[in-house]
Amino acid sequence: PSHARRQAFLINEADTAALDLGLEVRAAGTGSVVVTLTVTERHLGSPGQLHGSVLFTLADVAASYASISEGDADNDPAAIDFVAGTQLGGVLVATATEQSLRGKAGIYDVAIRTGVDDRLIATFCGNTLRLV
């Protein structure tokens, strides 16, 4: 596997929040990553719908893992737009892509889609700052 893929899996093992949510890194490359989540009851809020913080965490983790393929980075400002809901048992696929990397600053876009019918669930834009 590539260095980026090994790095993403390594970080996932140490990332207890990602592990507790059941996030899985499916593919990683330089400046990109695919992270999945199967929606279970533990991901639901009180009205029985997927909790927005779970979507934000999924997107944030994907952006973080995409950025670490370039070296350790810290997430800075980020924004998410919720587009649609999803079903219990559904698989969500978060694809993070590097949009810009200038010096120590990076911008990463994440699209979260359903695994079955490719419906858009949320979009996310996160900024990173290299630590070194």
Side-chain angles (χ1 to χ4, degrees), residues 4 18 23-24 37 51 57 81 86-87 92 94 96 101 111 115 119 126:
L23 304 185
E24 295 183 38
L37 167 72
H51 200 288
T57 302
D81 289 309
T86 190
Q87 301 287 334
L92 297 177
L101 182 59
R119 265 186 322 110

Side-chain angles (χ1 to χ4, degrees), residues 81-93:
D81 289 309
F82 301 108
V83 178
T86 190
Q87 301 287 334
L88 184 64
V91 175
L92 297 177
V93 180

Side-chain angles (χ1 to χ4, degrees), residues 19-100:
L19 288 172
D20 286 349
L21 283 175
L23 304 185
E24 295 183 38
V25 176
R26 293 293 183 187
T30 302
S32 66
V33 72
V34 176
V35 179
T36 62
L37 167 72
T38 300
V39 179
T40 66
E41 289 184 3
R42 69 180 168 169
H43 301 119
L44 305 180
S46 57
Q49 295 182 2
L50 181 63
H51 200 288
S53 66
V54 173
L55 284 173
F56 189 93
T57 302
L58 172 59
D60 188 55
V61 166
S64 294
Y65 290 4
S67 72
I68 62 163
S69 69
E70 303 286 354
D72 289 339
D74 190 21
N75 283 355
D76 259 347
I80 191 165
D81 289 309
F82 301 108
V83 178
T86 190
Q87 301 287 334
L88 184 64
V91 175
L92 297 177
V93 180
T95 303
T97 307
E98 181 180 272
Q99 297 304 313
S100 175

